[in-house]
Amino acid sequence: MLVAGVQQVVINGDFRTNLERVLPLYAQAVKKGARIIVLQEFWGVGFKVRPMDKGVVEKCGRQLQAIAQLCRDTKTYCIAGSLPRFNRQGKVANAMVVIEPSGATMAV
């Protein structure tokens, strides 16, 4: 099984552009036969954003929904780098998310 790493220049706080940059790179990896795609840490948000902000976590959640749809469409797994998420205690934590080809979250 071919694994591909996807890395792009991240713009701090520009959620839309960061997602738009990942999508064609993901598609290119799939076209080359990758079945597992690994995204870099904080690929969707950048390191200089305040991850404790609830809005940041919600925007990152929408990015993960887009990646989950991409996994469904391409029948691939994605190790979606890491992004800020709410943990079970409701606190913000840096979490790596693994998404399976059904689009379901397999591990956090």
Side-chain angles (χ1 to χ4, degrees):
M1 185 176 296
L2 186 62
V3 177
V6 170
Q7 186 164 351
Q8 86 279 6
V9 175
V10 176
I11 300 173
N12 287 305
D14 193 339
F15 299 90
R16 184 185 54 183
T17 298
N18 293 330
L19 179 62
E20 288 173 353
R21 287 181 172 183
V22 163
L23 297 178
L25 296 171
Y26 196 109
Q28 182 181 5
V30 171
K31 187 175 181 179
K32 291 183 177 186
R35 305 312 320 149
I36 300 173
I37 290 76
V38 182
L39 305 180
Q40 72 198 56
E41 183 177 24
F42 271 44
W43 62 270
V45 64
F47 285 99
K48 294 183 180 177
V49 173
R50 298 180 58 118
M52 301 306 274
D53 178 357
K54 182 179 178 182
V56 168
V57 175
E58 291 171 354
K59 289 176 184 176
C60 289
R62 288 193 290 275
Q63 289 175 320
L64 287 172
Q65 289 173 353
I67 296 298
Q69 182 62 52
L70 193 56
C71 289
R72 282 190 290 275
D73 293 346
T74 60
K75 305 295 186 246
T76 56
Y77 291 87
C78 182
I79 301 171
S82 63
L83 292 172
R85 292 179 43 115
F86 292 113
N87 64 19
R88 291 181 181 159
Q89 292 76 34
K91 298 187 186 280
V92 177
N94 186 16
M96 180 178 294
V97 179
V98 181
I99 303 169
E100 61 184 39
S102 71
T105 298
M106 188 173 160
V108 177

